[in-house]
């Protein structure tokens, strides 16, 4: 008997639990994206919703979310006057059939409502047509009435005026109402056509394998009130990269430096009026530190040799002529206020830097990128000249500027302008605060550099193991045609021996007069006064066994 009683109690409790679950109210949560932190290949998106909740256990459903969100990254938070305890959070997927049927029903409801409005306007037009016909009929019959009165007792002028005024005012009003009704009808007809087209597209896309996600939170409302609910999640398909504008004024050596960002996202959801932050952090999918595998040694086994390719450094492309130090013609002092751009707030964290953009932005889900200004500074630019006449008989101008900000200039593309003219597009590597940035500003024809071959002298016949010596002699001529003193670095090179039987010796200039690195690159550092000229000798000797053939000589 007791067993039966216990069984009845258990079934009763289970049934009550099922009834409570079934009775839980599902509350749709209408949320919108309020902020997004964009990384190099993903974004942390934050949605917000304002709710009014009554006491009890409910299911909060935030649906219509992009299918790309990472389920495990979903986090809920909130605050308000309501006492809320979150019991469970689930991320579910709603597939195309359910989503599209719901959207089609909403479109059909809009079409039905619009059809009712169109019928009302058409009814109004019919009434106006009836009124117009009635007034027109009276106007046609009124002259007959006037003639009858004239024959009997005469008609006054005032009667004619009153009649004409009546017809004029009535018809003017009717025609105006008819025009307004037709205009309203045209607008509703276009709206109906657009809805019908969208309806057709939705029905045609029923077979597409599309889906959306929804976040369902089971919540116990202990006290009724308002709740500001926030949901955040990671989503791939968003990125940003830095871009820069460098506008250099050669007259005063100032550089207007604009740090911008190209931001794009193709996440499947539009961001409208969001607070945007750009982070240099790189979230790890698998946050594990790599471990070393055992390092084994063994005798080498012969392998087929592969041809190696040498990556050669490409000489810079010729740039537009720079006229550092000259004043542009026709420039007048502009006293108008320039455009102002909001500056991003910079937050430097332990492993990253975050740029918080102050203005709200619209970033639709598309393949296009949007340019956003992060900061603008004016830097001091020092000019230096560089020439590699062996590669190209031109002298290039380079600007040096110190990063005096608290944030790094990240590696990226720079559009360079000199005295208002676009001259170059180049790249910079990351420049830390207080470090120096170098930018190529173009070539300057006023500073000439010319390399001339003078002589080659060969001695030794290589008989019975004798030595052979080859001496090459060049001359580099550098002329400053500017009106100011300049600093010029001139580069050339020595051949490098890769065999102990081949020796290379520098004969001129003296080693104390130049800087020579391990790659055999020679650098002269010159200061040339206005109109100054220098002749730089380059002479070296290569010695090798006389019966050998030396490649590259």
């Amino acid at each position: 008997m007791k067993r039966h009683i216990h069984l009845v109690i258990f079934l009763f409790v289970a049934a009550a639990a099922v009834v409570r679950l079934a009775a839980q109210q599902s509350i749709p949560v209408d949320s919108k994206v309020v902020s997004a932190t964009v990384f190099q290949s993903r974004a942390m998106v934050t949605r917000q919703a304002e709710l009014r909740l009554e006491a009890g256990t409910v299911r909060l459903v935030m649906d219509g979310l992009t299918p790309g969100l990472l389920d495990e990254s979903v986090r809920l938070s909130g605050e308000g006057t309501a006492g809320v305890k979150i019991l469970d959070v689930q991320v579910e997927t709603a597939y195309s059939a359910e989503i599209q049927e719901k959207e089609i029903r909403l479109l059909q409801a809009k079409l039905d409502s619009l059809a009712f409005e169109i019928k009302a306007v058409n009814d109004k037009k019919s009434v106006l047509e009836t009124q117009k016909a009635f007034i027109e009929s009276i106007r046609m019959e009124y002259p007959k009435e006037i003639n009858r009165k004239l024959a009997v007792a005469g008609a006054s002028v005032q009667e004619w005026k009153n009649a004409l005024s009546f017809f004029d005012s009535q018809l003017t009003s009717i025609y105006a109402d008819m025009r307004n009704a037709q205009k309203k009808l045209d607008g509703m007809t276009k709206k109906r056509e657009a809805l019908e087209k969208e309806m057709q597209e939705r029905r045609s896309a029923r077979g597409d394998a599309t889906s959306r996600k929804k976040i369902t939170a089971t919540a116990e409302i202990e006290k009724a009130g308002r709740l500001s609910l926030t949901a955040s999640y990671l989503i791939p398909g968003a990125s940003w990269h830095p871009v820069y504008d460098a506008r250099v004024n050669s007259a005063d050596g100032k550089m207007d430096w604009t740090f911008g960002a190209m931001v794009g996202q193709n996440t499947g959801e539009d961001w409208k009026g969001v607070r945007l932050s750009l982070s240099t952090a790189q979230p790890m999918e698998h946050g594990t530190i790599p471990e070393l595998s055992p390092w084994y040694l063994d005798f080498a086994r012969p392998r087929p040799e592969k041809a190696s390719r040498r990556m050669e450094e490409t000489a810079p492309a010729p740039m537009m002529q720079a006229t550092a130090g000259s004043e542009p013609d026709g420039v007048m002092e502009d006293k108008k206020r320039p455009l102002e751009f909001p500056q991003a707030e910079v937050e430097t964290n332990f492993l990253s830097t975050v740029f918080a953009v102050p203005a709200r932005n619209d970033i639709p889900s598309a393949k296009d990128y949007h340019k956003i200004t992060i900061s603008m500074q004016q830097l001091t630019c020092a000019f230096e000249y560089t020439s590699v006449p062996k590669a190209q008989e031109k002298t290039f101008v380079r600007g040096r500027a110190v990063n005096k900000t608290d944030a790094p200039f990240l590696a990226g593309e720079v559009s360079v302008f000199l005295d208002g003219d676009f001259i170059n597009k180049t790249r910079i590597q990351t420049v830390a605060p207080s470090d120096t940035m170098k930018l190529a500003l173009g070539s300057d024809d006023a500073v000439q550099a010319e390399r001339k071959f003078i002589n080659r002298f060969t001695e030794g016949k290589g008989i019975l193991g004798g030595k052979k010596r080859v001496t090459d002699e060049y001359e580099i001529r550098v002329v400053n045609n500017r009106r100011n003193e300049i600093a010029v670095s001139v580069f050339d090179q020595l051949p490098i021996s890769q065999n102990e039987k081949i020796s290379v010796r520098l004969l001129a200039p003296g080693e104390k007069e130049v800087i020579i690195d391990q790659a055999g690159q020679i650098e002269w550092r010159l200061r040339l006064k206005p109109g100054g000229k220098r002749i730089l000798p380059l002479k070296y000797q290569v010695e090798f066994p006389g019966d050998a053939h030396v490649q590259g000589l």
Side-chain angles (χ1 to χ4, degrees):
M1 184 66 180
K2 289 183 179 180
R3 292 181 59 189
H4 289 294
I5 293 174
H6 290 161
L7 180 60
V8 170
I9 293 174
F10 173 77
L11 292 176
F12 177 78
V13 172
V18 171
V19 170
R20 282 198 306 271
L21 288 174
Q24 285 181 3
Q25 181 185 3
S26 290
I27 299 178
V29 177
D30 185 13
S31 66
K32 65 177 182 178
V33 177
V34 294
S35 66
T37 299
V38 183
F39 305 98
Q40 290 185 355
S41 61
R42 63 192 62 198
M44 175 68 78
V45 174
T46 300
R47 284 180 165 270
Q48 198 169 54
E50 302 296 329
L51 303 172
R52 171 72 187 180
L53 301 173
E54 300 297 332
T57 302
V58 298
R59 287 162 53 88
L60 305 176
V61 182
M62 186 181 293
D63 60 3
L65 308 182
T66 176
L69 71 85
L70 304 180
D71 296 4
E72 65 277 8
S73 68
V74 172
R75 297 291 182 273
L76 293 184
S77 61
E79 60 180 6
T81 59
V84 182
K85 181 186 293 184
I86 300 295
L87 305 178
D88 179 58
V89 178
Q90 292 182 334
V91 180
E92 302 172 286
T93 302
Y95 291 96
S96 56
E98 176 185 347
I99 297 169
Q100 290 169 357
E101 286 299 330
K102 181 179 178 181
E103 291 174 345
I104 288 173
R105 286 196 299 271
L106 290 174
L107 287 173
Q108 187 60 57
K110 291 180 180 179
L111 279 171
D112 294 342
S113 176
L114 192 59
F116 181 82
E117 294 178 18
I118 290 174
K119 187 176 185 307
V121 174
N122 280 324
D123 292 344
K124 176 68 174 176
K125 284 186 64 180
S126 298
V127 171
L128 291 171
E129 288 286 352
T130 302
Q131 290 177 354
K132 174 191 168 190
F134 177 72
I135 297 297
E136 289 285 359
S137 65
I138 294 176
R139 190 178 67 172
M140 294 295 293
E141 293 296 326
Y142 188 73
K144 298 178 182 179
E145 178 65 18
I146 290 296
N147 290 333
R148 187 185 64 80
K149 286 187 176 182
L150 285 172
V152 177
S156 67
V157 175
Q158 189 62 39
E159 285 185 275
W160 278 101
K161 288 183 178 181
N162 291 340
L164 292 175
S165 177
F166 171 78
F167 293 137
D168 180 66
S169 63
Q170 291 298 312
L171 289 176
T172 299
S173 176
I174 290 172
Y175 280 122
D177 291 344
M178 291 178 69
R179 286 194 301 271
N180 291 334
Q182 186 61 47
K183 183 179 179 181
K184 189 174 182 181
L185 187 62
D186 291 343
M188 289 190 293
T189 301
K190 290 180 181 179
K191 187 175 180 181
R192 182 186 64 187
E193 290 173 353
L195 287 172
E196 288 174 345
K197 182 180 179 182
E198 186 177 357
M199 173 81 81
Q200 184 62 36
E201 290 174 353
R202 296 288 185 187
R203 285 175 173 166
S204 300
R206 275 178 172 172
D208 295 345
T210 58
S211 62
R212 304 295 285 178
K213 286 190 175 180
K214 61 181 180 180
I215 300 172
T216 303
T218 303
E220 184 177 334
I221 314 302
E222 299 174 345
K223 177 187 175 185
R226 302 199 64 81
L227 173 67
S228 179
L229 181 65
T230 300
S232 63
Y233 48 83
L234 276 173
I235 182 170
S239 64
W240 77 280
H241 61 269
V243 291
Y244 304 92
D245 277 354
R247 298 180 181 268
V248 182
N249 188 329
S250 63
D252 59 9
K254 299 298 182 182
M255 177 194 296
D256 292 329
W257 178 256
T258 303
F259 180 5
M262 300 299 291
V263 184
Q265 62 101 353
N266 194 18
T267 62
E269 58 186 17
D270 294 335
W271 301 346
K272 295 182 179 180
V274 299
R275 295 189 301 271
L276 198 63
S277 297
L278 309 175
S279 175
T280 62
Q282 300 183 23
M284 298 174 64
E285 292 186 3
H286 306 286
T288 57
I289 299 176
E291 297 181 358
L292 294 174
S293 301
W295 182 5
Y296 298 107
L297 295 178
D298 199 353
F299 290 109
R301 295 177 173 81
R303 286 192 197 173
E305 294 187 0
K306 295 182 179 179
S308 61
R309 296 195 305 170
R310 181 184 175 191
M311 300 296 292
E312 296 184 353
E313 186 176 56
T314 305
M319 305 172 192
M320 297 179 64
Q321 179 178 350
T323 56
S326 62
E327 296 183 2
D329 296 334
V331 176
M332 298 179 64
E333 184 180 1
D334 187 2
K335 295 183 179 180
K336 296 180 181 180
R337 291 186 60 183
L339 287 175
E340 296 182 0
F341 295 88
Q343 308 287 304
E345 296 181 6
V346 181
E347 180 183 350
T348 303
N349 300 320
F350 181 53
L351 295 176
S352 65
T353 302
V354 178
F355 303 96
V357 181
R360 292 181 178 269
N361 291 270
D362 293 343
I363 310 292
S365 179
K367 295 182 180 179
D368 300 328
Y369 276 82
H370 298 257
K371 188 173 182 180
I372 295 173
T373 300
I374 293 179
S375 64
M376 299 178 70
Q377 293 90 25
Q378 188 174 79
L379 308 177
T380 300
C381 183
F383 302 108
E384 58 182 27
Y385 290 78
T386 300
S387 182
V388 190
K390 181 180 180 180
Q392 196 171 7
E393 290 188 340
K394 282 184 174 292
T395 302
F396 295 92
V397 186
R398 185 163 57 187
R400 294 166 55 92
V402 177
N403 178 8
K404 295 184 178 180
T405 69
D406 296 330
F409 297 155
L410 305 174
E413 190 175 77
V414 185
S415 297
V416 184
F417 298 80
L418 182 63
D419 297 330
D421 295 326
F422 173 75
I423 59 169
N424 188 25
K425 183 164 283 190
T426 184
R427 289 188 63 84
I428 61 168
Q429 298 304 314
T430 299
V431 182
S434 301
D435 277 0
T436 301
M437 168 179 59
K438 298 180 180 180
L439 289 176
L441 300 180
S443 62
D444 187 355
D445 291 341
V447 181
Q448 299 173 346
E450 180 184 6
R451 186 179 192 262
K452 183 179 179 181
F453 174 72
I454 303 299
N455 188 28
R456 166 170 281 196
F457 178 71
T458 304
E459 59 181 328
K461 298 182 180 179
I463 301 174
L464 300 177
K467 296 288 186 179
K468 189 174 183 179
R469 298 182 185 89
V470 176
T471 304
D472 285 346
E473 185 176 0
Y474 295 86
E475 182 180 274
I476 300 173
R477 179 174 175 270
V478 186
V479 181
N480 175 23
N481 294 317
R482 290 210 154 272
R483 297 180 180 178
N484 56 291
E485 184 178 359
I486 61 171
V488 188
S489 295
V490 182
F491 294 88
D492 212 300
Q493 63 183 155
L494 285 175
I496 300 174
S497 172
Q498 291 187 306
N499 191 299
E500 61 182 7
K501 295 181 180 182
I502 302 173
S503 65
V504 179
R505 185 161 63 99
L506 178 65
L507 302 179
E511 293 187 1
K512 293 184 179 181
E513 301 174 30
V514 293
I515 300 172
I516 305 176
D517 64 14
Q518 294 181 348
Q521 182 172 266
I522 304 171
E523 179 185 359
W524 289 267
R525 294 183 178 179
L526 313 176
R527 292 202 68 84
L528 295 179
K529 294 185 178 299
K533 179 176 69 175
R534 287 286 297 274
I535 304 296
L536 309 177
L538 175 60
K539 187 175 181 180
Y540 56 85
Q541 186 180 86
V542 181
E543 184 178 86
F544 53 92
D547 57 353
H549 175 70
V550 178
Q551 292 182 348
L553 184 61

